[in-house]
Amino acid sequence: MKLAIMQPYFFPYIGYFQLMAAADVFIVYDNIQYTKKGWINRNRFLLNGRDAIFTLPLSKASDFLDVRGRTLAESYSRADLLNKLQGAYRRAPYFDAVFPLLKTIVNDPANNLFDYIFQSLEKLKDYFGLGCQLRISSSVDIDHALRGQDKVIELCHAVNASTYVNPPGGRDLYASPDFLQQGLELRFLQPGKIEYPQAGKPFVPWLSIIDIMMFNDIDEIKRLITTEYELN
């Protein structure tokens, strides 16, 4: 049984969903510290042929709070975000098919940052027809004071995983011999080179999944998610 674990990201890039496709269980961290410079509450989209950033504004809070302790700012306008996405993609070939789902996700009433992102991941997983089980890290019975590789190994044991699948950036964080000593296989997912007809030239890679949804039909999206990667 394969396990993948990731931070919660809002409309993440396709590699996030490829990890879901490669896993039987996909755990989303809620009890890790929020980082300002990460991609938890922001991502890139295509605007006039170039990449631009959209962001979920957050209420002011301690820098030491976990993700589940952060809330969306009162100033966050769901309508403004939808207008921004509509303005960027209204001429995209699959805008009419995709925008109703984006409205459902963005208009969710959750105010907690983790809850808001988690519902978006659930809806996108279902839309792409991915069969993995989504779990929230704090709901798994382990010692949550553990950190790094030790915590990952304990999560693997807790859900009876035999293989841990991680993005390629984890090669500097995790050691295969340590996993093997615990009866676990460590594998890394390498996304393939993905290009598709886009509204601008040159092609802008690794944008939010929104971009792929706007320029590809659902069958092609499923193919890209489930086949355009390698497990090493």
Side-chain angles (χ1 to χ4, degrees):
M1 195 271 280
K2 297 183 180 68
L3 170 67
I5 310 170
M6 288 293 288
Q7 295 185 18
Y9 295 142
F10 191 55
F11 289 118
Y13 85 123
I14 191 171
Y16 197 97
F17 298 99
Q18 290 176 329
L19 271 176
M20 283 190 187
D24 300 297
V25 176
F26 189 95
I27 293 177
V28 186
Y29 278 130
D30 66 328
N31 52 352
I32 56 166
Q33 187 175 331
Y34 170 79
T35 53
K36 288 182 178 180
K37 296 183 179 181
W39 293 96
I40 291 174
N41 61 312
R42 66 191 183 107
N43 219 302
R44 302 189 306 142
F45 70 113
L46 192 70
L47 183 63
N48 299 322
R50 304 179 66 178
D51 66 310
I53 298 287
F54 63 83
T55 303
L56 298 176
L58 302 181
S59 300
K60 291 184 179 179
S62 167
D63 290 339
F64 299 101
L65 285 179
D66 286 345
V67 175
R68 62 182 175 175
R70 301 304 302 266
T71 58
L72 301 175
E74 290 185 6
S75 62
Y76 172 45
S77 170
R78 290 161 169 80
D80 284 352
L81 176 55
L82 288 170
N83 287 338
K84 182 179 293 185
L85 295 175
Q86 183 175 23
Y89 289 109
R90 65 182 182 273
R91 293 188 178 88
Y94 296 98
F95 174 83
D96 290 339
V98 170
F99 197 65
L101 174 61
L102 301 190
K103 288 178 65 176
T104 299
I105 290 172
V106 172
N107 283 330
D108 188 272
N111 187 53
N112 176 273
L113 174 63
F114 179 81
D115 291 345
Y116 190 67
I117 294 177
F118 191 74
Q119 63 83 24
S120 72
L121 296 174
E122 288 183 307
K123 291 181 175 72
L124 289 167
K125 180 187 85 77
D126 291 344
Y127 181 74
F128 299 140
L130 302 176
C132 63
Q133 178 190 8
L134 286 189
R135 297 281 301 272
I136 298 172
S137 61
S138 64
S139 71
V140 182
D141 186 16
I142 66 163
D143 177 4
H144 288 281
L146 293 170
R147 293 290 182 266
Q149 179 173 279
D150 292 337
K151 187 170 187 176
V152 167
I153 288 173
E154 284 303 300
L155 286 168
C156 287
H157 289 322
V159 300
N160 297 314
S162 56
T163 301
Y164 178 59
V165 183
N166 201 67
R171 293 183 188 276
D172 296 330
L173 301 175
Y174 306 123
S176 292
D178 294 340
F179 279 77
L180 287 173
Q181 286 180 2
Q182 295 293 324
L184 300 168
E185 180 185 25
L186 175 62
R187 302 188 71 181
F188 295 96
L189 185 146
Q190 180 63 56
K193 183 178 180 181
I194 294 175
E195 290 193 15
Y196 46 87
Q198 216 176 40
K201 293 183 178 180
F203 179 78
V204 182
W206 309 125
L207 300 178
S208 160
I209 192 66
I210 293 172
D211 196 75
I212 287 181
M213 294 167 70
M214 289 292 182
F215 292 109
N216 298 273
D217 68 29
I218 187 61
D219 289 337
E220 176 63 5
I221 296 170
K222 290 179 178 179
R223 187 193 71 79
L224 292 173
I225 288 175
T226 58
T227 68
E228 288 300 314
Y229 65 83
E230 293 182 356
L231 281 181
N232 302 312

